[in-house]
mmCIF file of all heavy atoms in Angstrom:
data_model
loop_
_atom_site.group_PDB
_atom_site.id
_atom_site.type_symbol
_atom_site.label_atom_id
_atom_site.label_comp_id
_atom_site.label_asym_id
_atom_site.label_seq_id
_atom_site.Cartn_x
_atom_site.Cartn_y
_atom_site.Cartn_z
ATOM 1 N N ILE A 38 25.687 -21.759 3.566
ATOM 2 C CA ILE A 38 25.234 -21.693 2.175
ATOM 3 C C ILE A 38 25.816 -20.439 1.544
ATOM 4 O O ILE A 38 25.587 -19.325 2.037
ATOM 5 C CB ILE A 38 23.693 -21.692 2.098
ATOM 6 C CG1 ILE A 38 23.134 -23.000 2.671
ATOM 7 C CG2 ILE A 38 23.220 -21.476 0.663
ATOM 8 C CD1 ILE A 38 21.628 -23.005 2.877
ATOM 9 N N VAL A 39 26.574 -20.613 0.461
ATOM 10 C CA VAL A 39 27.252 -19.475 -0.171
ATOM 11 C C VAL A 39 27.097 -19.527 -1.693
ATOM 12 O O VAL A 39 26.845 -20.596 -2.265
ATOM 13 C CB VAL A 39 28.762 -19.439 0.197
ATOM 14 C CG1 VAL A 39 28.964 -19.224 1.690
ATOM 15 C CG2 VAL A 39 29.474 -20.694 -0.258
ATOM 16 N N PRO A 40 27.258 -18.369 -2.336
ATOM 17 C CA PRO A 40 27.195 -18.347 -3.799
ATOM 18 C C PRO A 40 28.170 -19.354 -4.412
ATOM 19 O O PRO A 40 29.292 -19.531 -3.925
ATOM 20 C CB PRO A 40 27.583 -16.910 -4.153
ATOM 21 C CG PRO A 40 27.156 -16.112 -2.955
ATOM 22 C CD PRO A 40 27.446 -17.014 -1.780
ATOM 23 N N GLY A 41 27.698 -20.020 -5.461
ATOM 24 C CA GLY A 41 28.505 -21.030 -6.136
ATOM 25 C C GLY A 41 28.189 -22.445 -5.692
ATOM 26 O O GLY A 41 28.542 -23.402 -6.383
ATOM 27 N N ASP A 42 27.529 -22.611 -4.537
ATOM 28 C CA ASP A 42 27.165 -23.950 -4.068
ATOM 29 C C ASP A 42 26.170 -24.589 -5.031
ATOM 30 O O ASP A 42 25.346 -23.905 -5.641
ATOM 31 C CB ASP A 42 26.517 -23.891 -2.680
ATOM 32 C CG ASP A 42 27.512 -23.658 -1.550
ATOM 33 O OD1 ASP A 42 28.728 -23.637 -1.804
ATOM 34 O OD2 ASP A 42 27.037 -23.486 -0.402
ATOM 35 N N THR A 43 26.232 -25.916 -5.118
ATOM 36 C CA THR A 43 25.281 -26.678 -5.917
ATOM 37 C C THR A 43 24.112 -27.100 -5.045
ATOM 38 O O THR A 43 24.304 -27.535 -3.908
ATOM 39 C CB THR A 43 25.960 -27.931 -6.513
ATOM 40 O OG1 THR A 43 26.996 -27.507 -7.388
ATOM 41 C CG2 THR A 43 24.966 -28.801 -7.277
ATOM 42 N N VAL A 44 22.908 -26.969 -5.603
ATOM 43 C CA VAL A 44 21.681 -27.347 -4.900
ATOM 44 C C VAL A 44 20.899 -28.310 -5.781
ATOM 45 O O VAL A 44 20.775 -28.096 -6.987
ATOM 46 C CB VAL A 44 20.811 -26.106 -4.594
ATOM 47 C CG1 VAL A 44 19.467 -26.509 -4.010
ATOM 48 C CG2 VAL A 44 21.533 -25.158 -3.660
ATOM 49 N N TYR A 45 20.377 -29.365 -5.159
ATOM 50 C CA TYR A 45 19.463 -30.289 -5.816
ATOM 51 C C TYR A 45 18.079 -29.990 -5.250
ATOM 52 O O TYR A 45 17.897 -29.989 -4.028
ATOM 53 C CB TYR A 45 19.874 -31.733 -5.558
ATOM 54 C CG TYR A 45 21.274 -32.000 -6.064
ATOM 55 C CD1 TYR A 45 22.356 -32.017 -5.193
ATOM 56 C CD2 TYR A 45 21.506 -32.182 -7.424
ATOM 57 C CE1 TYR A 45 23.643 -32.216 -5.668
ATOM 58 C CE2 TYR A 45 22.793 -32.390 -7.897
ATOM 59 C CZ TYR A 45 23.855 -32.403 -7.013
ATOM 60 O OH TYR A 45 25.133 -32.587 -7.492
ATOM 61 N N LEU A 46 17.115 -29.699 -6.116
ATOM 62 C CA LEU A 46 15.778 -29.328 -5.679
ATOM 63 C C LEU A 46 14.894 -30.564 -5.626
ATOM 64 O O LEU A 46 14.674 -31.232 -6.638
ATOM 65 C CB LEU A 46 15.192 -28.281 -6.614
ATOM 66 C CG LEU A 46 15.946 -26.948 -6.611
ATOM 67 C CD1 LEU A 46 15.339 -25.986 -7.615
ATOM 68 C CD2 LEU A 46 15.957 -26.333 -5.214
ATOM 69 N N TYR A 47 14.392 -30.834 -4.423
ATOM 70 C CA TYR A 47 13.609 -32.035 -4.141
ATOM 71 C C TYR A 47 12.177 -31.648 -3.811
ATOM 72 O O TYR A 47 11.924 -30.776 -2.977
ATOM 73 C CB TYR A 47 14.229 -32.779 -2.951
ATOM 74 C CG TYR A 47 13.538 -34.070 -2.623
ATOM 75 C CD1 TYR A 47 13.828 -35.231 -3.330
ATOM 76 C CD2 TYR A 47 12.582 -34.137 -1.616
ATOM 77 C CE1 TYR A 47 13.177 -36.425 -3.038
ATOM 78 C CE2 TYR A 47 11.929 -35.320 -1.318
ATOM 79 C CZ TYR A 47 12.233 -36.459 -2.038
ATOM 80 O OH TYR A 47 11.586 -37.634 -1.755
ATOM 81 N N PHE A 48 11.222 -32.317 -4.445
ATOM 82 C CA PHE A 48 9.795 -32.121 -4.175
ATOM 83 C C PHE A 48 9.330 -33.309 -3.350
ATOM 84 O O PHE A 48 9.460 -34.457 -3.775
ATOM 85 C CB PHE A 48 9.034 -32.028 -5.497
ATOM 86 C CG PHE A 48 7.582 -31.695 -5.361
ATOM 87 C CD1 PHE A 48 7.168 -30.488 -4.817
ATOM 88 C CD2 PHE A 48 6.621 -32.583 -5.801
ATOM 89 C CE1 PHE A 48 5.812 -30.170 -4.717
ATOM 90 C CE2 PHE A 48 5.268 -32.278 -5.713
ATOM 91 C CZ PHE A 48 4.868 -31.072 -5.167
ATOM 92 N N ALA A 49 8.786 -33.039 -2.166
ATOM 93 C CA ALA A 49 8.390 -34.098 -1.240
ATOM 94 C C ALA A 49 6.936 -34.494 -1.459
ATOM 95 O O ALA A 49 6.316 -34.115 -2.445
ATOM 96 C CB ALA A 49 8.600 -33.613 0.190
ATOM 97 N N GLY A 50 6.419 -35.238 -0.531
ATOM 98 C CA GLY A 50 5.015 -35.609 -0.568
ATOM 99 C C GLY A 50 4.770 -36.928 -1.265
ATOM 100 O O GLY A 50 5.696 -37.635 -1.650
ATOM 101 N N LYS A 51 3.504 -37.239 -1.435
ATOM 102 C CA LYS A 51 3.113 -38.526 -2.023
ATOM 103 C C LYS A 51 2.983 -38.478 -3.538
ATOM 104 O O LYS A 51 3.064 -39.487 -4.208
ATOM 105 C CB LYS A 51 1.778 -38.968 -1.407
ATOM 106 C CG LYS A 51 1.891 -39.303 0.069
ATOM 107 C CD LYS A 51 0.535 -39.716 0.615
ATOM 108 C CE LYS A 51 0.513 -40.203 1.994
ATOM 109 N NZ LYS A 51 1.062 -39.732 3.071
ATOM 110 N N ARG A 52 2.753 -37.292 -4.106
ATOM 111 C CA ARG A 52 2.561 -37.156 -5.543
ATOM 112 C C ARG A 52 3.895 -36.851 -6.228
ATOM 113 O O ARG A 52 4.414 -35.765 -6.142
ATOM 114 C CB ARG A 52 1.565 -36.025 -5.838
ATOM 115 C CG ARG A 52 1.290 -35.831 -7.313
ATOM 116 C CD ARG A 52 0.377 -34.644 -7.554
ATOM 117 N NE ARG A 52 0.941 -33.366 -7.160
ATOM 118 C CZ ARG A 52 1.652 -32.582 -7.967
ATOM 119 N NH1 ARG A 52 1.905 -32.931 -9.197
ATOM 120 N NH2 ARG A 52 2.115 -31.435 -7.524
ATOM 121 N N SER A 53 4.466 -37.843 -6.859
ATOM 122 C CA SER A 53 5.681 -37.670 -7.667
ATOM 123 C C SER A 53 6.870 -37.066 -6.921
ATOM 124 O O SER A 53 7.471 -36.104 -7.385
ATOM 125 C CB SER A 53 5.362 -36.831 -8.902
ATOM 126 O OG SER A 53 4.318 -37.394 -9.640
ATOM 127 N N PRO A 54 7.245 -37.626 -5.762
ATOM 128 C CA PRO A 54 8.400 -37.079 -5.062
ATOM 129 C C PRO A 54 9.694 -37.379 -5.811
ATOM 130 O O PRO A 54 9.804 -38.391 -6.506
ATOM 131 C CB PRO A 54 8.374 -37.793 -3.705
ATOM 132 C CG PRO A 54 7.705 -39.096 -3.997
ATOM 133 C CD PRO A 54 6.686 -38.794 -5.071
ATOM 134 N N GLY A 55 10.650 -36.485 -5.673
ATOM 135 C CA GLY A 55 11.952 -36.718 -6.277
ATOM 136 C C GLY A 55 12.698 -35.434 -6.552
ATOM 137 O O GLY A 55 12.261 -34.341 -6.194
ATOM 138 N N LEU A 56 13.852 -35.597 -7.192
ATOM 139 C CA LEU A 56 14.672 -34.455 -7.590
ATOM 140 C C LEU A 56 14.177 -33.946 -8.937
ATOM 141 O O LEU A 56 14.053 -34.718 -9.892
ATOM 142 C CB LEU A 56 16.138 -34.864 -7.708
ATOM 143 C CG LEU A 56 16.834 -35.290 -6.423
ATOM 144 C CD1 LEU A 56 18.237 -35.802 -6.729
ATOM 145 C CD2 LEU A 56 16.899 -34.141 -5.427
ATOM 146 N N TYR A 57 13.937 -32.639 -9.004
ATOM 147 C CA TYR A 57 13.379 -32.028 -10.202
ATOM 148 C C TYR A 57 14.358 -31.109 -10.930
ATOM 149 O O TYR A 57 14.143 -30.799 -12.099
ATOM 150 C CB TYR A 57 12.115 -31.243 -9.862
ATOM 151 C CG TYR A 57 10.905 -32.133 -9.760
ATOM 152 C CD1 TYR A 57 10.691 -32.927 -8.643
ATOM 153 C CD2 TYR A 57 10.001 -32.206 -10.807
ATOM 154 C CE1 TYR A 57 9.582 -33.758 -8.560
ATOM 155 C CE2 TYR A 57 8.882 -33.031 -10.736
ATOM 156 C CZ TYR A 57 8.689 -33.804 -9.612
ATOM 157 O OH TYR A 57 7.598 -34.643 -9.534
ATOM 158 N N ALA A 58 15.399 -30.635 -10.232
ATOM 159 C CA ALA A 58 16.311 -29.698 -10.884
ATOM 160 C C ALA A 58 17.609 -29.606 -10.099
ATOM 161 O O ALA A 58 17.669 -29.936 -8.916
ATOM 162 C CB ALA A 58 15.673 -28.309 -10.990
ATOM 163 N N THR A 59 18.621 -29.125 -10.809
ATOM 164 C CA THR A 59 19.861 -28.733 -10.154
ATOM 165 C C THR A 59 19.954 -27.215 -10.277
ATOM 166 O O THR A 59 19.417 -26.617 -11.215
ATOM 167 C CB THR A 59 21.100 -29.378 -10.806
ATOM 168 O OG1 THR A 59 21.257 -28.879 -12.132
ATOM 169 C CG2 THR A 59 20.983 -30.895 -10.826
ATOM 170 N N ALA A 60 20.619 -26.611 -9.321
ATOM 171 C CA ALA A 60 20.734 -25.154 -9.317
ATOM 172 C C ALA A 60 22.055 -24.740 -8.693
ATOM 173 O O ALA A 60 22.718 -25.534 -8.021
ATOM 174 C CB ALA A 60 19.573 -24.536 -8.538
ATOM 175 N N THR A 61 22.404 -23.495 -8.918
ATOM 176 C CA THR A 61 23.573 -22.883 -8.301
ATOM 177 C C THR A 61 23.100 -21.724 -7.442
ATOM 178 O O THR A 61 22.252 -20.926 -7.866
ATOM 179 C CB THR A 61 24.554 -22.365 -9.376
ATOM 180 O OG1 THR A 61 24.954 -23.465 -10.192
ATOM 181 C CG2 THR A 61 25.795 -21.740 -8.741
ATOM 182 N N VAL A 62 23.647 -21.621 -6.234
ATOM 183 C CA VAL A 62 23.330 -20.512 -5.345
ATOM 184 C C VAL A 62 23.951 -19.238 -5.914
ATOM 185 O O VAL A 62 25.151 -19.205 -6.206
ATOM 186 C CB VAL A 62 23.848 -20.781 -3.913
ATOM 187 C CG1 VAL A 62 23.608 -19.580 -3.007
ATOM 188 C CG2 VAL A 62 23.215 -22.033 -3.324
ATOM 189 N N LEU A 63 23.127 -18.201 -6.070
ATOM 190 C CA LEU A 63 23.604 -16.915 -6.591
ATOM 191 C C LEU A 63 23.893 -15.890 -5.503
ATOM 192 O O LEU A 63 24.691 -14.977 -5.717
ATOM 193 C CB LEU A 63 22.562 -16.316 -7.553
ATOM 194 C CG LEU A 63 22.262 -17.100 -8.825
ATOM 195 C CD1 LEU A 63 21.138 -16.425 -9.602
ATOM 196 C CD2 LEU A 63 23.521 -17.219 -9.676
ATOM 197 N N THR A 64 23.222 -16.006 -4.351
ATOM 198 C CA THR A 64 23.336 -15.006 -3.290
ATOM 199 C C THR A 64 23.546 -15.672 -1.936
ATOM 200 O O THR A 64 23.181 -16.830 -1.751
ATOM 201 C CB THR A 64 22.048 -14.163 -3.191
ATOM 202 O OG1 THR A 64 20.970 -15.024 -2.815
ATOM 203 C CG2 THR A 64 21.729 -13.455 -4.500
ATOM 204 N N CYS A 65 24.086 -14.934 -1.009
ATOM 205 C CA CYS A 65 24.102 -15.395 0.377
ATOM 206 C C CYS A 65 22.672 -15.308 0.914
ATOM 207 O O CYS A 65 21.873 -14.501 0.428
ATOM 208 C CB CYS A 65 25.012 -14.509 1.222
ATOM 209 S SG CYS A 65 26.761 -14.741 0.868
ATOM 210 N N PRO A 66 22.329 -16.129 1.905
ATOM 211 C CA PRO A 66 21.004 -16.001 2.507
ATOM 212 C C PRO A 66 20.788 -14.572 3.026
ATOM 213 O O PRO A 66 21.664 -13.992 3.661
ATOM 214 C CB PRO A 66 21.035 -17.009 3.657
ATOM 215 C CG PRO A 66 22.026 -18.041 3.204
ATOM 216 C CD PRO A 66 23.084 -17.246 2.482
ATOM 217 N N ASP A 67 19.649 -14.017 2.686
ATOM 218 C CA ASP A 67 19.332 -12.648 3.068
ATOM 219 C C ASP A 67 17.815 -12.480 3.028
ATOM 220 O O ASP A 67 17.096 -13.394 2.634
ATOM 221 C CB ASP A 67 20.009 -11.665 2.104
ATOM 222 C CG ASP A 67 20.242 -10.295 2.731
ATOM 223 O OD1 ASP A 67 19.675 -9.992 3.807
ATOM 224 O OD2 ASP A 67 20.996 -9.507 2.133
ATOM 225 N N LYS A 68 17.356 -11.307 3.374
ATOM 226 C CA LYS A 68 15.924 -10.997 3.344
ATOM 227 C C LYS A 68 15.532 -10.674 1.907
ATOM 228 O O LYS A 68 15.280 -9.530 1.557
ATOM 229 C CB LYS A 68 15.624 -9.854 4.288
ATOM 230 C CG LYS A 68 15.939 -10.191 5.726
ATOM 231 C CD LYS A 68 15.832 -8.982 6.607
ATOM 232 C CE LYS A 68 16.358 -9.324 7.995
ATOM 233 N NZ LYS A 68 16.461 -8.155 8.837
ATOM 234 N N ILE A 69 15.500 -11.709 1.085
ATOM 235 C CA ILE A 69 15.216 -11.573 -0.335
ATOM 236 C C ILE A 69 13.751 -11.945 -0.560
ATOM 237 O O ILE A 69 13.313 -13.008 -0.123
ATOM 238 C CB ILE A 69 16.127 -12.516 -1.157
ATOM 239 C CG1 ILE A 69 17.595 -12.174 -0.921
ATOM 240 C CG2 ILE A 69 15.773 -12.470 -2.638
ATOM 241 C CD1 ILE A 69 18.562 -13.216 -1.468
ATOM 242 N N PRO A 70 12.999 -11.098 -1.252
ATOM 243 C CA PRO A 70 11.606 -11.472 -1.514
ATOM 244 C C PRO A 70 11.522 -12.591 -2.549
ATOM 245 O O PRO A 70 12.442 -12.779 -3.345
ATOM 246 C CB PRO A 70 10.983 -10.184 -2.063
ATOM 247 C CG PRO A 70 12.136 -9.428 -2.628
ATOM 248 C CD PRO A 70 13.343 -9.798 -1.796
ATOM 249 N N GLN A 71 10.422 -13.310 -2.520
ATOM 250 C CA GLN A 71 10.195 -14.325 -3.546
ATOM 251 C C GLN A 71 10.098 -13.644 -4.904
ATOM 252 O O GLN A 71 9.671 -12.496 -4.999
ATOM 253 C CB GLN A 71 8.883 -15.067 -3.305
ATOM 254 C CG GLN A 71 8.986 -16.209 -2.378
ATOM 255 C CD GLN A 71 7.736 -17.079 -2.439
ATOM 256 O OE1 GLN A 71 6.639 -16.615 -2.692
ATOM 257 N NE2 GLN A 71 7.924 -18.355 -2.188
ATOM 258 N N GLU A 72 10.477 -14.377 -5.938
ATOM 259 C CA GLU A 72 10.262 -13.884 -7.296
ATOM 260 C C GLU A 72 8.749 -13.730 -7.477
ATOM 261 O O GLU A 72 7.970 -14.561 -7.017
ATOM 262 C CB GLU A 72 10.815 -14.876 -8.318
ATOM 263 C CG GLU A 72 12.309 -15.161 -8.177
ATOM 264 C CD GLU A 72 13.174 -13.931 -8.396
ATOM 265 O OE1 GLU A 72 12.948 -13.203 -9.380
ATOM 266 O OE2 GLU A 72 14.075 -13.709 -7.581
#
Side-chain angles (χ1 to χ4, degrees):
I38 297 169
V39 296
D42 284 355
T43 297
V44 173
Y45 301 100
L46 296 177
Y47 183 82
F48 186 63
K51 293 179 174 46
R52 181 184 64 90
S53 304
L56 295 174
Y57 278 77
T59 66
T61 301
V62 176
L63 297 176
T64 64
C65 289
D67 205 347
K68 298 171 188 172
I69 300 169
Q71 274 193 329
E72 301 297 313

